Amino acid sequence: QVQLVESGGGLVQAGGSLELSCEVLGRTINSLTTGWFRETPGKEREFIASIAWSGGITYNQDSEKDRFTISREIKGNTLHLQMTALKPEDTALYYCAARRGPISSREGEYDYWGRGTQVTVSA
């Protein structure tokens, strides 16, 4: 059974930075595709970025990939999302997700989800 535990969310002023982490339990991170999504009230869950088991990375082409960087720490079995130059519109509940298959940006293709960590960016 795979469990995902997010941490690192919080309140930050616009222009600030945050790093989210997701500890993967029950399976090695490099045997999974792992990724980040975010959700705001009234909107569909949005794909941000993912890392394939092989290490390949994909970002949402419409996302702020110049401000967000996904990475993983194999030794610590942890996924990270470094966010810089944050904007109020980045306010959302951020989810870590994992799947046994190849890299994907589709929410429905992920097998495991964390509970989410709230990021709030004040103006």
Side-chain angles (χ1 to χ4, degrees):
Q1 180 72 15
V2 174
Q3 288 184 295
L4 307 174
V5 182
E6 301 103 333
S7 61
L11 175 64
V12 63
Q13 288 188 329
S17 300
L18 275 177
E19 181 170 322
L20 306 183
S21 297
C22 172
E23 185 179 9
V24 178
L25 305 173
R27 193 156 173 167
T28 56
I29 195 170
N30 56 349
S31 68
L32 297 166
T33 288
T34 50
W36 290 99
F37 290 75
R38 67 183 180 183
E39 184 176 281
T40 55
K43 294 186 179 180
E44 292 185 358
R45 195 169 293 184
E46 178 188 23
F47 169 73
I48 298 172
S50 64
I51 298 180
W53 63 270
S54 61
I57 291 175
T58 189
Y59 288 92
N60 183 337
Q61 62 182 2
D62 297 325
S63 73
E64 306 291 346
K65 68 177 182 180
D66 291 338
R67 299 186 297 119
F68 292 178
T69 302
I70 191 171
S71 64
R72 68 183 182 185
E73 180 191 346
I74 293 176
K75 187 174 182 180
N77 227 38
T78 303
L79 182 72
H80 299 283
L81 183 69
Q82 178 68 40
M83 305 185 293
T84 62
L86 284 162
K87 306 173 183 178
E89 50 265 44
D90 295 318
T91 295
L93 188 60
Y94 284 71
Y95 290 95
C96 173
R99 69 185 302 255
R100 296 182 297 270
I103 203 166
S104 172
S105 62
R106 299 180 178 181
E107 174 189 354
E109 293 185 349
Y110 281 77
D111 304 301
Y112 310 102
W113 291 86
R115 293 188 174 185
T117 185
Q118 178 68 38
V119 171
T120 302
V121 184
S122 63

